[in-house]
Amino acid sequence: MLTREATRTSGQGGVVDKFGSIIARADALVDLGRHGEALAAVAPVLASDPTNVEAHAVAAQAHLGLQDARAAWTSAVEMIRSSPDDPRGHFYLALAEHKAGRLEPAMAAARCAIAKAPAHPMGHVALAAVTLNRKDLAPACRAAADEALRLDPHNPDRLVLAAQSRMYAGRSPGKVERREARALLEDALRSSPDHLQARSERAALTSMDGRHLDGLLAQARLLRELAPTEDPLLGVRFSVARMLLAAFFVICLIWIPLVVVLILETDAGPGHGNGLRVASR
């Protein structure tokens, strides 16, 4: 998960305070995607200690997971107010601003995180994340993603982000960019063969290479594997993916012969006794 994982380098642990066991449990709940339960777990901590930075950090992650940009923004601001030199508050603020659709404040917050901890990847991760899919900011996005990877080279999430910076630059990636992205994703999967995002992006890249059917099948297989064990909605998404795939075949079966017939009729010209034209007279 970007919001939690990016604040750590490979092998780094969290901070423990007098509420450490509660916060550790809440952090684990965020990992499991149980964001509402995580918020409920840290609520007593924040009631007892409203300036607890670790509790606000968990709350910011949970709010982002629930797509609540306003609440995540509030938690991030409280972190910054309580501990202005802690780069994590600026990191979460960048993601909250981005989720709210405010690009300039998101970039400013990401750059603050970098200024607070230039040797930590989190600020660079935030800057890359908030500038993805922006053609005018593609160089900045790629530079930030590459710097995050340089600082934490053994983390598969950094490899995936570097690949995304090449795949989603606000335009269709060129051949060189697709080749670089594929190499980065393969490195991520060698390090972590079950990395879901790497597998998903590899399927998307397959479609970008022009092998649309192979890409759709790869995405469908991924959804089918996840459906029994993960979010129940993934089962629905898998069904939708199968329906879309079936619709694709139906369209091909109907339209390809029709297009061929129309091309043949057009090539035949009026002097060849066009059957469709005769029938329409």
Side-chain angles (χ1 to χ4, degrees):
M1 183 185 193
L2 173 65
T3 54
R4 172 184 180 274
E5 178 278 331
T7 60
R8 303 178 180 181
T9 53
S10 299
Q12 180 182 5
V15 177
V16 178
D17 58 14
K18 66 178 181 179
F19 296 109
S21 60
I22 298 174
I23 292 171
R25 177 175 174 273
D27 200 35
L29 289 169
V30 170
D31 270 354
L32 295 171
R34 293 157 60 178
H35 302 108
E37 293 177 55
L39 288 172
V42 296
V45 178
L46 291 172
S48 173
D49 180 9
T51 63
N52 190 295
V53 173
E54 300 307 318
H56 281 301
V58 172
Q61 298 165 46
H63 288 309
L64 286 167
L66 293 170
Q67 310 300 313
D68 190 343
R70 184 189 295 269
W73 184 92
T74 299
S75 294
V77 169
E78 288 298 326
M79 284 186 72
I80 294 169
R81 183 178 293 123
S82 299
S83 183
D85 292 328
D86 189 331
R88 293 176 301 164
H90 300 280
F91 171 81
Y92 294 126
L93 182 61
L95 298 185
E97 294 282 15
H98 177 59
K99 197 171 287 292
R102 298 187 288 263
L103 176 63
E104 292 300 326
M107 292 177 64
R111 287 180 174 131
C112 278
I114 293 171
K116 299 290 183 184
H120 195 290
M122 79 176 80
H124 306 284
V125 168
L127 186 58
V130 304
T131 53
L132 275 176
N133 285 312
R134 291 292 303 251
K135 185 176 181 179
D136 55 328
L137 297 172
C141 176
R142 179 166 175 166
D146 286 352
E147 180 64 8
L149 178 60
R150 186 188 71 79
L151 292 169
D152 194 10
H154 303 299
N155 192 320
D157 293 286
R158 308 289 177 261
L159 290 160
V160 171
L161 184 60
Q164 289 173 324
S165 72
R166 288 148 174 83
M167 294 168 64
Y168 308 116
R171 56 176 175 77
S172 298
K175 185 176 180 179
V176 172
E177 292 164 319
R178 295 198 306 272
R179 184 171 64 245
E180 290 178 357
R182 185 170 297 281
L184 289 162
L185 292 173
E186 293 301 333
D187 284 347
L189 288 168
R190 273 191 290 273
S191 171
S192 179
D194 295 325
H195 197 288
L196 299 180
Q197 195 170 20
R199 293 175 63 192
S200 178
E201 295 297 0
R202 184 174 61 179
L205 187 59
T206 299
S207 295
M208 291 178 181
D209 285 337
R211 294 181 290 140
H212 303 291
L213 181 57
D214 289 340
L216 277 172
L217 289 172
Q219 290 283 15
R221 282 194 297 270
L222 183 58
L223 288 172
R224 183 175 58 193
E225 290 174 21
L226 290 174
T229 56
E230 300 290 337
D231 182 355
L233 286 178
L234 287 173
V236 176
R237 294 173 192 147
F238 173 57
S239 299
V240 170
R242 283 193 300 183
M243 287 189 291
L244 289 173
L245 190 58
F248 174 76
F249 282 119
V250 170
I251 291 170
C252 289
L253 289 173
I254 294 173
W255 285 102
I256 290 177
L258 181 59
V259 169
V260 171
V261 169
L262 291 174
I263 290 173
L264 291 175
E265 294 293 346
T266 301
D267 289 344
H272 288 73
N274 187 302
L276 291 177
R277 292 189 179 88
V278 171
S280 66
R281 289 175 183 172

